[in-house]
Coordinates of all heavy atoms in Angstrom, one line a residue:
I1 N 0.8 -1.2 0.0 CA 0.0 0.0 0.0 C 0.9 1.2 0.0 O 0.6 2.2 -0.7 CB -1.0 0.0 1.2 CG1 -2.0 -1.1 1.0 CG2 -1.7 1.3 1.3 CD1 -3.0 -1.4 2.2
R2 N 1.9 1.2 0.8 CA 2.9 2.3 0.8 C 3.4 2.6 -0.6 O 3.5 3.8 -1.0 CB 4.0 2.1 1.8 CG 5.0 3.1 1.9 CD 6.1 2.8 2.8 NE 7.2 3.8 2.9 CZ 8.3 3.7 3.6 NH1 8.5 2.6 4.2 NH2 9.2 4.7 3.5
A3 N 3.9 1.6 -1.3 CA 4.5 1.8 -2.6 C 3.5 2.3 -3.6 O 3.8 3.2 -4.4 CB 5.0 0.4 -3.1
I4 N 2.2 1.9 -3.5 CA 1.2 2.4 -4.4 C 1.0 3.9 -4.2 O 0.9 4.7 -5.1 CB -0.1 1.6 -4.2 CG1 0.1 0.2 -4.7 CG2 -1.3 2.3 -5.0 CD1 -1.0 -0.7 -4.3
I5 N 0.8 4.3 -2.9 CA 0.6 5.7 -2.6 C 1.8 6.6 -2.9 O 1.7 7.7 -3.4 CB 0.2 5.8 -1.1 CG1 -1.2 5.2 -0.9 CG2 0.2 7.3 -0.6 CD1 -1.7 5.1 0.5
T6 N 3.0 6.0 -2.7 CA 4.2 6.7 -3.0 C 4.3 7.0 -4.5 O 4.7 8.1 -5.0 CB 5.5 6.0 -2.5 OG1 5.4 5.9 -1.1 CG2 6.7 6.7 -2.9
K7 N 3.9 6.0 -5.3 CA 3.9 6.1 -6.8 C 3.0 7.2 -7.3 O 3.3 7.9 -8.2 CB 3.5 4.7 -7.4 CG 3.4 4.7 -8.9 CD 3.2 3.4 -9.5 CE 1.7 3.0 -9.4 NZ 1.4 1.7 -10.1
H8 N 1.9 7.4 -6.6 CA 0.9 8.3 -7.1 C 0.9 9.7 -6.4 O 0.4 10.7 -7.0 CB -0.5 7.8 -7.0 CG -0.8 6.6 -7.9 ND1 -0.9 6.7 -9.3 CD2 -0.9 5.3 -7.7 CE1 -1.1 5.5 -9.8 NE2 -1.1 4.6 -8.9
L9 N 1.5 9.7 -5.2 CA 1.4 11.0 -4.4 C 2.8 11.3 -3.9 O 3.5 12.1 -4.4 CB 0.5 10.8 -3.3 CG -1.0 11.2 -3.5 CD1 -1.8 10.8 -2.3 CD2 -1.1 12.7 -3.7
A10 N 3.1 10.7 -2.7 CA 4.4 10.9 -2.0 C 4.5 9.8 -1.0 O 3.5 9.1 -0.7 CB 4.3 12.2 -1.3
D11 N 5.7 9.6 -0.4 CA 5.9 8.6 0.6 C 5.2 9.0 1.9 O 5.6 10.1 2.5 CB 7.4 8.4 0.8 CG 7.7 7.3 1.8 OD1 6.8 6.7 2.3 OD2 8.9 6.9 1.9
P12 N 4.3 8.3 2.4 CA 3.6 8.6 3.6 C 4.5 8.6 4.8 O 4.2 9.2 5.9 CB 2.5 7.6 3.8 CG 2.8 6.5 2.9 CD 3.7 7.0 1.8
Y13 N 5.7 8.0 4.7 CA 6.6 7.9 5.8 C 7.5 9.2 5.9 O 8.4 9.3 6.8 CB 7.4 6.7 5.8 CG 6.7 5.5 6.3 CD1 5.8 4.8 5.5 CD2 6.9 5.0 7.6 CE1 5.1 3.7 6.0 CE2 6.3 3.9 8.1 CZ 5.4 3.2 7.3 OH 4.7 2.1 7.8
T14 N 7.4 10.1 4.9 CA 8.1 11.3 5.0 C 7.9 12.0 6.3 O 6.7 11.9 6.8 CB 7.8 12.3 3.8 OG1 8.1 11.6 2.6 CG2 8.5 13.6 3.9
D15 N 8.8 12.7 6.9 CA 8.7 13.3 8.2 C 7.2 13.7 8.5 O 6.7 14.6 7.9 CB 9.6 14.6 8.2 CG 9.5 15.3 9.5 OD1 9.0 14.8 10.5 OD2 10.0 16.4 9.6
P16 N 6.7 13.0 9.5 CA 5.2 13.2 9.8 C 4.9 14.7 10.3 O 3.8 15.1 10.2 CB 5.0 12.3 11.0 CG 6.1 11.2 10.9 CD 7.2 11.9 10.3
A17 N 5.9 15.4 10.6 CA 5.7 16.8 11.0 C 5.6 17.7 9.8 O 5.1 18.8 9.9 CB 6.8 17.3 12.0
Y18 N 6.1 17.2 8.7 CA 6.0 18.0 7.4 C 4.6 18.2 7.0 O 3.9 17.2 6.9 CB 6.9 17.4 6.4 CG 7.0 18.2 5.1 CD1 7.6 19.5 5.2 CD2 6.4 17.9 3.9 CE1 7.7 20.3 4.0 CE2 6.5 18.7 2.8 CZ 7.1 19.9 2.9 OH 7.2 20.7 1.8
R19 N 4.2 19.4 6.7 CA 2.8 19.7 6.4 C 2.5 20.0 5.0 O 1.4 20.6 4.7 CB 2.3 20.9 7.3 CG 2.6 20.7 8.8 CD 1.5 20.2 9.6 NE 0.3 20.9 9.4 CZ -0.9 20.4 9.4 NH1 -1.0 19.1 9.6 NH2 -2.0 21.1 9.1
G20 N 3.3 19.6 4.1 CA 3.1 19.8 2.6 C 1.8 19.1 2.2 O 1.6 18.0 2.7
A21 N 1.0 19.7 1.4 CA -0.3 19.2 1.0 C -0.3 17.7 0.5 O -1.1 16.9 0.9 CB -1.0 20.1 0.1
K22 N 0.7 17.5 -0.4 CA 0.7 16.1 -1.0 C 1.1 15.1 0.1 O 0.7 13.9 0.0 CB 1.6 16.1 -2.2 CG 3.1 16.1 -2.0 CD 3.8 16.0 -3.3 CE 5.3 16.0 -3.2 NZ 6.0 15.8 -4.4
Y23 N 1.9 15.5 1.0 CA 2.3 14.5 2.1 C 1.2 14.3 3.1 O 1.0 13.2 3.6 CB 3.6 15.1 2.8 CG 4.8 15.1 1.9 CD1 5.2 16.3 1.3 CD2 5.5 14.0 1.5 CE1 6.2 16.3 0.4 CE2 6.5 14.0 0.7 CZ 6.9 15.2 0.1 OH 7.9 15.2 -0.8
I24 N 0.4 15.3 3.3 CA -0.7 15.1 4.2 C -1.7 14.2 3.5 O -2.2 13.3 4.2 CB -1.4 16.5 4.5 CG1 -0.5 17.3 5.4 CG2 -2.8 16.3 5.2 CD1 -0.9 18.8 5.6
K25 N -2.0 14.4 2.2 CA -2.9 13.5 1.5 C -2.4 12.1 1.5 O -3.1 11.2 1.6 CB -3.1 14.1 0.1 CG -4.2 13.4 -0.7 CD -4.3 13.8 -2.1 CE -4.7 15.3 -2.2 NZ -4.9 15.7 -3.6
A26 N -1.1 12.0 1.3 CA -0.4 10.6 1.2 C -0.6 9.9 2.6 O -1.0 8.7 2.6 CB 1.0 10.7 0.9
R27 N -0.4 10.6 3.7 CA -0.6 10.0 5.0 C -2.0 9.6 5.2 O -2.4 8.6 5.8 CB -0.1 10.9 6.1 CG 1.5 11.0 6.1 CD 2.0 11.7 7.4 NE 1.7 13.1 7.4 CZ 2.5 14.1 6.9 NH1 3.6 13.7 6.4 NH2 2.2 15.4 7.0
Q28 N -3.0 10.5 4.8 CA -4.4 10.3 5.0 C -4.8 9.1 4.2 O -5.5 8.2 4.7 CB -5.2 11.5 4.7 CG -5.1 12.6 5.7 CD -5.8 13.8 5.3 OE1 -6.2 14.1 4.2 NE2 -6.0 14.7 6.3
F29 N -4.4 9.0 2.9 CA -4.7 7.8 2.1 C -4.1 6.6 2.7 O -4.8 5.5 2.7 CB -4.2 8.0 0.7 CG -5.1 8.8 -0.2 CD1 -6.3 9.4 0.2 CD2 -4.8 9.0 -1.6 CE1 -7.1 10.1 -0.6 CE2 -5.6 9.7 -2.4 CZ -6.8 10.2 -2.0
F30 N -2.9 6.6 3.1 CA -2.2 5.5 3.7 C -3.0 4.9 4.9 O -3.3 3.7 4.9 CB -0.8 5.9 4.1 CG 0.0 4.7 4.7 CD1 0.5 3.7 4.0 CD2 0.3 4.7 6.1 CE1 1.2 2.6 4.5 CE2 1.0 3.7 6.7 CZ 1.4 2.7 5.9
L31 N -3.3 5.8 5.8 CA -4.0 5.3 7.0 C -5.4 4.8 6.6 O -5.9 3.8 7.2 CB -4.2 6.5 8.0 CG -2.9 6.9 8.7 CD1 -3.0 8.1 9.6 CD2 -2.3 5.7 9.5
Y32 N -6.1 5.5 5.7 CA -7.4 5.0 5.2 C -7.3 3.6 4.7 O -8.1 2.7 5.1 CB -7.9 5.9 4.2 CG -9.3 5.6 3.6 CD1 -10.5 6.1 4.2 CD2 -9.5 4.6 2.6 CE1 -11.7 5.8 3.7 CE2 -10.7 4.3 2.2 CZ -11.8 4.9 2.7 OH -13.1 4.5 2.3
F33 N -6.4 3.4 3.7 CA -6.3 2.1 3.1 C -5.7 1.0 4.0 O -6.2 -0.2 3.9 CB -5.5 2.2 1.8 CG -6.2 2.9 0.7 CD1 -5.8 4.1 0.2 CD2 -7.4 2.3 0.1 CE1 -6.5 4.8 -0.8 CE2 -8.1 3.0 -0.9 CZ -7.6 4.2 -1.3
I34 N -4.8 1.3 4.8 CA -4.3 0.3 5.8 C -5.4 -0.1 6.7 O -5.5 -1.3 7.1 CB -3.1 0.9 6.6 CG1 -1.8 1.0 5.7 CG2 -2.8 0.1 7.9 CD1 -1.2 -0.3 5.4
Y35 N -6.2 0.8 7.2 CA -7.3 0.5 8.0 C -8.4 -0.3 7.3 O -8.9 -1.3 7.8 CB -7.9 1.8 8.7 CG -9.1 1.6 9.5 CD1 -9.1 0.9 10.7 CD2 -10.4 2.0 9.0 CE1 -10.2 0.7 11.5 CE2 -11.5 1.8 9.8 CZ -11.4 1.2 11.0 OH -12.6 0.9 11.8
R36 N -8.8 0.2 6.2 CA -10.0 -0.4 5.4 C -9.6 -1.7 4.7 O -10.5 -2.6 4.7 CB -10.5 0.6 4.4 CG -11.2 1.8 4.9 CD -12.6 1.5 5.4 NE -13.2 2.8 5.7 CZ -13.9 3.0 6.8 NH1 -14.1 2.1 7.7 NH2 -14.5 4.2 7.0
Y37 N -8.4 -1.8 4.2 CA -8.1 -3.0 3.4 C -7.1 -4.0 3.9 O -7.0 -5.1 3.5 CB -7.7 -2.5 2.0 CG -8.8 -1.9 1.2 CD1 -8.9 -0.5 1.1 CD2 -9.7 -2.7 0.5 CE1 -10.0 0.0 0.4 CE2 -10.7 -2.2 -0.2 CZ -10.9 -0.8 -0.2 OH -11.9 -0.3 -0.9
A38 N -6.3 -3.5 4.9 CA -5.3 -4.4 5.4 C -5.6 -5.0 6.8 O -4.9 -5.8 7.4 CB -3.9 -3.7 5.5
G39 N -6.8 -4.6 7.3 CA -7.3 -5.2 8.5 C -6.6 -4.6 9.8 O -6.7 -5.2 10.9
F40 N -5.9 -3.5 9.7 CA -5.3 -2.9 10.9 C -6.4 -2.2 11.7 O -7.4 -1.7 11.2 CB -4.3 -1.9 10.5 CG -2.9 -2.4 10.1 CD1 -2.8 -3.2 9.0 CD2 -1.8 -2.1 10.8 CE1 -1.6 -3.7 8.6 CE2 -0.6 -2.6 10.4 CZ -0.5 -3.4 9.3
T41 N -6.2 -2.2 13.0 CA -7.1 -1.3 13.9 C -6.6 0.1 13.6 O -5.6 0.4 13.1 CB -6.9 -1.6 15.3 OG1 -5.6 -1.3 15.7 CG2 -7.2 -3.1 15.6
Q42 N -7.5 1.1 14.1 CA -7.1 2.5 13.9 C -5.8 2.7 14.7 O -4.9 3.5 14.2 CB -8.2 3.4 14.4 CG -9.4 3.4 13.5 CD -10.4 4.4 13.9 OE1 -10.2 5.2 14.8 NE2 -11.6 4.4 13.2
E43 N -5.6 2.2 15.8 CA -4.4 2.4 16.6 C -3.2 1.8 16.0 O -2.1 2.4 15.9 CB -4.6 1.8 18.0 CG -3.5 2.2 19.0 CD -3.8 1.8 20.4 OE1 -4.9 1.6 20.8 OE2 -2.8 1.7 21.2
A44 N -3.3 0.6 15.5 CA -2.2 -0.1 14.8 C -1.8 0.6 13.5 O -0.6 0.8 13.3 CB -2.6 -1.6 14.5
A45 N -2.8 1.1 12.8 CA -2.5 1.9 11.5 C -1.7 3.1 11.9 O -0.6 3.4 11.3 CB -3.7 2.2 10.8
A46 N -2.2 3.9 12.9 CA -1.5 5.1 13.3 C -0.1 4.9 13.8 O 0.8 5.7 13.6 CB -2.4 5.9 14.3
S47 N 0.0 3.8 14.5 CA 1.4 3.5 15.1 C 2.4 3.4 14.0 O 3.6 3.6 14.3 CB 1.3 2.3 16.0 OG 1.2 1.1 15.3
L48 N 2.1 3.0 12.8 CA 3.0 2.9 11.7 C 3.7 4.2 11.4 O 4.8 4.3 10.9 CB 2.4 2.3 10.5 CG 1.8 0.9 10.6 CD1 1.0 0.5 9.3 CD2 3.0 -0.1 10.8
L49 N 2.9 5.3 11.7 CA 3.4 6.7 11.5 C 3.8 7.4 12.8 O 3.9 8.6 12.8 CB 2.4 7.5 10.6 CG 2.1 6.9 9.3 CD1 1.0 7.8 8.6 CD2 3.3 6.8 8.4
N50 N 3.9 6.6 13.8 CA 4.1 7.2 15.2 C 3.1 8.2 15.6 O 3.4 9.3 16.1 CB 5.5 7.8 15.3 CG 6.6 6.8 15.1 OD1 6.5 5.7 15.6 ND2 7.6 7.1 14.4
K51 N 1.8 7.9 15.3 CA 0.7 8.7 15.7 C -0.3 7.9 16.5 O 0.0 6.7 16.8 CB -0.1 9.2 14.4 CG 0.8 10.0 13.4 CD 1.1 11.3 14.0 CE 1.8 12.2 13.0 NZ 2.1 13.5 13.5
D52 N -1.4 8.5 17.0 CA -2.3 7.7 17.8 C -3.6 7.5 16.9 O -3.7 8.0 15.8 CB -2.6 8.4 19.1 CG -3.3 9.8 19.0 OD1 -4.0 10.0 17.9 OD2 -3.2 10.6 19.9
H53 N -4.5 6.7 17.5 CA -5.7 6.3 16.8 C -6.6 7.5 16.3 O -7.3 7.4 15.3 CB -6.6 5.4 17.7 CG -7.3 6.1 18.8 ND1 -6.6 6.5 19.9 CD2 -8.6 6.6 18.9 CE1 -7.5 7.2 20.7 NE2 -8.7 7.2 20.1
A54 N -6.5 8.6 17.0 CA -7.3 9.8 16.6 C -6.8 10.3 15.2 O -7.7 10.8 14.4 CB -7.2 10.9 17.6
T55 N -5.6 10.1 14.9 CA -5.1 10.5 13.6 C -5.7 9.6 12.5 O -6.1 10.2 11.4 CB -3.5 10.3 13.5 OG1 -3.0 11.1 14.6 CG2 -3.0 10.8 12.2
T56 N -5.8 8.3 12.7 CA -6.5 7.5 11.7 C -8.0 7.9 11.6 O -8.5 8.0 10.5 CB -6.4 6.0 12.1 OG1 -5.0 5.7 12.3 CG2 -7.0 5.1 11.1
F57 N -8.6 8.1 12.7 CA -10.0 8.5 12.7 C -10.2 9.8 11.9 O -11.1 9.9 11.0 CB -10.5 8.7 14.1 CG -12.0 9.1 14.2 CD1 -13.0 8.2 14.0 CD2 -12.3 10.5 14.4 CE1 -14.3 8.6 14.1 CE2 -13.6 10.9 14.4 CZ -14.6 9.9 14.3
H58 N -9.3 10.8 12.1 CA -9.4 12.0 11.4 C -9.1 11.9 9.9 O -9.7 12.5 9.1 CB -8.4 13.0 12.1 CG -8.4 14.4 11.4 ND1 -9.5 15.3 11.5 CD2 -7.5 15.0 10.6 CE1 -9.2 16.3 10.8 NE2 -8.0 16.2 10.2
S59 N -8.1 11.0 9.6 CA -7.8 10.8 8.2 C -9.0 10.2 7.4 O -9.3 10.6 6.3 CB -6.6 9.8 8.1 OG -5.4 10.5 8.6
I60 N -9.6 9.2 8.0 CA -10.8 8.6 7.4 C -11.9 9.6 7.2 O -12.5 9.7 6.1 CB -11.3 7.4 8.3 CG1 -10.3 6.3 8.2 CG2 -12.7 6.9 7.8 CD1 -10.5 5.2 9.3
K61 N -12.1 10.5 8.2 CA -13.1 11.5 8.1 C -12.8 12.5 6.9 O -13.6 12.9 6.1 CB -13.2 12.2 9.4 CG -14.2 13.3 9.5 CD -14.3 13.9 10.9 CE -14.5 15.3 10.9 NZ -14.4 15.9 12.3
C62 N -11.5 12.9 6.9 CA -11.1 13.8 5.8 C -11.2 13.2 4.4 O -11.6 13.9 3.5 CB -9.6 14.3 6.1 SG -9.5 15.4 7.4
V63 N -10.7 12.0 4.3 CA -10.8 11.3 3.0 C -12.3 11.3 2.5 O -12.6 11.6 1.4 CB -10.2 9.9 3.0 CG1 -10.6 9.1 1.8 CG2 -8.7 10.0 3.2
N64 N -13.2 10.8 3.4 CA -14.6 10.8 3.0 C -15.2 12.1 2.7 O -15.9 12.2 1.7 CB -15.4 10.1 4.2 CG -15.2 8.6 4.3 OD1 -14.9 8.0 3.3 ND2 -15.2 8.1 5.5
K65 N -14.8 13.2 3.4 CA -15.3 14.5 3.1 C -14.8 15.0 1.7 O -15.5 15.5 0.9 CB -14.8 15.5 4.2 CG -15.2 16.9 4.0 CD -14.7 17.8 5.0 CE -13.3 18.2 4.6 NZ -12.7 19.2 5.5
H66 N -13.5 14.8 1.4 CA -12.9 15.2 0.1 C -13.5 14.4 -1.0 O -13.7 14.9 -2.1 CB -11.4 15.1 0.1 CG -10.8 16.1 1.0 ND1 -10.8 17.5 0.7 CD2 -10.1 16.0 2.2 CE1 -10.1 18.1 1.6 NE2 -9.7 17.3 2.5
L67 N -13.8 13.1 -0.8 CA -14.4 12.3 -1.9 C -15.7 12.8 -2.4 O -16.0 12.7 -3.5 CB -14.6 10.8 -1.4 CG -13.3 10.0 -1.2 CD1 -13.7 8.6 -0.6 CD2 -12.7 9.8 -2.6
E68 N -16.5 13.4 -1.4 CA -17.8 13.9 -1.8 C -17.7 15.2 -2.6 O -18.6 15.5 -3.3 CB -18.6 14.2 -0.5 CG -19.0 12.9 0.2 CD -19.7 13.2 1.6 OE1 -20.0 14.4 1.8 OE2 -19.9 12.3 2.3
K69 N -16.6 16.0 -2.4 CA -16.6 17.3 -2.9 C -15.6 17.6 -4.0 O -15.7 18.5 -4.8 CB -16.2 18.3 -1.8 CG -17.3 18.3 -0.7 CD -16.9 19.3 0.4 CE -18.0 19.3 1.5 NZ -17.7 20.3 2.5
E70 N -14.6 16.7 -4.2 CA -13.5 17.0 -5.1 C -13.4 15.9 -6.2 O -13.0 14.8 -5.9 CB -12.2 17.2 -4.4 CG -12.2 18.4 -3.4 CD -11.0 18.5 -2.6 OE1 -9.9 18.1 -3.1 OE2 -11.1 18.9 -1.4
K71 N -13.6 16.3 -7.4 CA -13.6 15.3 -8.5 C -12.2 14.7 -8.7 O -12.1 13.5 -8.9 CB -14.1 16.0 -9.8 CG -14.8 15.1 -10.7 CD -15.3 15.9 -12.0 CE -16.6 16.6 -11.7 NZ -17.2 17.2 -12.9
D72 N -11.2 15.6 -8.7 CA -9.8 15.1 -8.9 C -9.4 14.2 -7.8 O -8.7 13.2 -8.0 CB -8.8 16.2 -9.1 CG -9.0 16.9 -10.4 OD1 -9.6 16.4 -11.3 OD2 -8.6 18.1 -10.5
Y73 N -9.7 14.5 -6.6 CA -9.4 13.7 -5.4 C -10.1 12.3 -5.5 O -9.5 11.3 -5.3 CB -10.0 14.4 -4.2 CG -9.5 13.9 -2.8 CD1 -8.4 14.4 -2.2 CD2 -10.2 12.8 -2.2 CE1 -8.1 14.0 -0.9 CE2 -9.8 12.4 -1.0 CZ -8.8 12.9 -0.3 OH -8.4 12.4 0.9
F74 N -11.4 12.3 -6.0 CA -12.1 11.1 -6.2 C -11.4 10.2 -7.2 O -11.3 9.0 -7.0 CB -13.5 11.4 -6.6 CG -14.4 10.2 -6.8 CD1 -15.0 9.6 -5.7 CD2 -14.6 9.7 -8.1 CE1 -15.8 8.5 -5.9 CE2 -15.4 8.6 -8.3 CZ -16.0 8.0 -7.2
K75 N -11.0 10.8 -8.3 CA -10.3 10.0 -9.4 C -9.0 9.4 -8.8 O -8.7 8.2 -9.1 CB -10.0 10.9 -10.6 CG -11.2 11.3 -11.4 CD -10.8 12.2 -12.5 CE -12.0 12.8 -13.3 NZ -11.6 13.7 -14.3
L76 N -8.2 10.2 -8.1 CA -7.0 9.7 -7.5 C -7.3 8.5 -6.5 O -6.6 7.5 -6.5 CB -6.2 10.8 -6.9 CG -4.9 10.4 -6.2 CD1 -3.9 9.8 -7.2 CD2 -4.2 11.6 -5.5
F77 N -8.3 8.8 -5.7 CA -8.7 7.8 -4.7 C -9.0 6.4 -5.4 O -8.6 5.4 -5.0 CB -9.8 8.3 -3.9 CG -10.4 7.2 -2.9 CD1 -9.8 7.1 -1.6 CD2 -11.4 6.4 -3.3 CE1 -10.3 6.2 -0.7 CE2 -11.9 5.5 -2.4 CZ -11.4 5.4 -1.1
K78 N -9.9 6.5 -6.5 CA -10.3 5.3 -7.2 C -9.1 4.6 -7.9 O -9.1 3.4 -7.9 CB -11.4 5.7 -8.2 CG -12.7 6.0 -7.5 CD -13.2 4.8 -6.8 CE -14.6 4.9 -6.2 NZ -15.0 3.7 -5.4
L79 N -8.2 5.4 -8.4 CA -7.0 4.8 -9.0 C -6.2 4.0 -8.0 O -5.8 2.8 -8.2 CB -6.2 5.9 -9.6 CG -4.8 5.4 -10.2 CD1 -5.1 4.5 -11.4 CD2 -4.0 6.7 -10.7
I80 N -6.0 4.6 -6.8 CA -5.2 4.0 -5.8 C -6.0 2.8 -5.2 O -5.4 1.7 -5.0 CB -4.8 5.0 -4.7 CG1 -3.8 6.0 -5.2 CG2 -4.3 4.2 -3.4 CD1 -3.6 7.1 -4.3
E81 N -7.3 3.0 -5.0 CA -8.1 1.9 -4.5 C -8.1 0.7 -5.4 O -8.0 -0.5 -5.0 CB -9.5 2.4 -4.3 CG -10.4 1.3 -3.7 CD -11.9 1.8 -3.5 OE1 -12.4 2.4 -4.5 OE2 -12.4 1.6 -2.4
S82 N -8.1 0.9 -6.7 CA -8.1 -0.2 -7.7 C -6.8 -1.0 -7.6 O -6.8 -2.3 -7.7 CB -8.3 0.2 -9.1 OG -7.3 1.0 -9.6
E83 N -5.7 -0.3 -7.4 CA -4.4 -1.0 -7.2 C -4.3 -1.7 -5.9 O -3.8 -2.8 -5.8 CB -3.3 0.0 -7.4 CG -3.2 0.5 -8.8 CD -2.0 1.4 -9.1 OE1 -0.9 1.2 -8.4 OE2 -2.1 2.2 -9.9
V84 N -4.8 -1.1 -4.8 CA -4.8 -1.7 -3.5 C -5.6 -3.0 -3.5 O -5.2 -4.0 -2.9 CB -5.3 -0.7 -2.4 CG1 -5.6 -1.4 -1.1 CG2 -4.3 0.4 -2.2
K85 N -6.8 -3.0 -4.2 CA -7.6 -4.2 -4.2 C -6.9 -5.3 -4.9 O -7.2 -6.5 -4.6 CB -8.9 -3.9 -4.9 CG -9.9 -3.1 -4.1 CD -11.2 -2.8 -4.8 CE -12.2 -2.1 -3.9 NZ -13.5 -1.8 -4.6
L86 N -6.0 -5.1 -5.8 CA -5.3 -6.1 -6.5 C -4.3 -6.9 -5.6 O -4.0 -8.0 -5.8 CB -4.5 -5.6 -7.7 CG -5.3 -5.1 -8.9 CD1 -4.4 -4.4 -9.9 CD2 -6.2 -6.2 -9.5
I87 N -3.9 -6.2 -4.5 CA -2.9 -6.9 -3.6 C -3.6 -7.6 -2.5 O -3.0 -8.3 -1.7 CB -1.9 -5.9 -3.1 CG1 -2.5 -4.8 -2.2 CG2 -1.0 -5.4 -4.2 CD1 -1.5 -3.9 -1.5
K88 N -4.9 -7.4 -2.4 CA -5.6 -8.0 -1.2 C -5.8 -9.5 -1.4 O -6.1 -10.0 -2.5 CB -7.0 -7.3 -1.1 CG -7.7 -7.8 0.2 CD -8.9 -6.9 0.5 CE -9.5 -7.4 1.8 NZ -10.8 -6.9 2.1

């Protein structure tokens, strides 16, 4: 999942304190897909980025919000999701 997101956006493991938009989106997608498709708990997913479960919860909320409002975001999400589903 990390490699797929890195290919399309950025490496989600880039310094978690860095607030560049593409890195924030990469981290949010990473947590979303790790939680939804890899069977991680919210806490376990967040721990991969040295965060807590609230970060995963917030990421899922943000992804869902952007999916409803942004066409380009939706297209990117669907592209990544289709590749993630292939590895499941």
Side-chain angles (χ1 to χ4, degrees):
I1 292 174
R2 177 184 179 184
I4 294 167
I5 292 171
T6 299
K7 178 173 79 172
H8 294 289
L9 271 170
D11 186 356
Y13 280 79
T14 299
D15 180 10
Y18 185 66
R19 307 263 312 142
K22 73 177 183 179
Y23 296 98
I24 292 171
K25 188 184 296 184
R27 287 190 290 268
Q28 289 176 343
F29 276 3
F30 179 73
L31 291 173
Y32 181 95
F33 288 114
I34 286 290
Y35 174 70
R36 293 278 190 229
Y37 291 97
F40 281 63
T41 63
Q42 288 187 7
E43 188 171 341
S47 72
L48 295 172
L49 299 177
N50 295 320
K51 301 289 186 178
D52 64 25
H53 72 283
T55 303
T56 303
F57 180 80
H58 180 71
S59 293
I60 292 166
K61 183 175 144 187
C62 287
V63 168
N64 288 328
K65 180 181 83 175
H66 290 292
L67 285 174
E68 294 174 6
K69 297 181 179 183
E70 299 174 33
K71 214 180 274 190
D72 290 338
Y73 191 97
F74 181 81
K75 287 178 187 176
L76 179 60
F77 176 88
K78 286 299 188 183
L79 176 63
I80 292 171
E81 183 181 46
S82 68
E83 292 184 30
V84 168
K85 284 182 176 180
L86 292 175
I87 61 173
K88 189 171 182 191

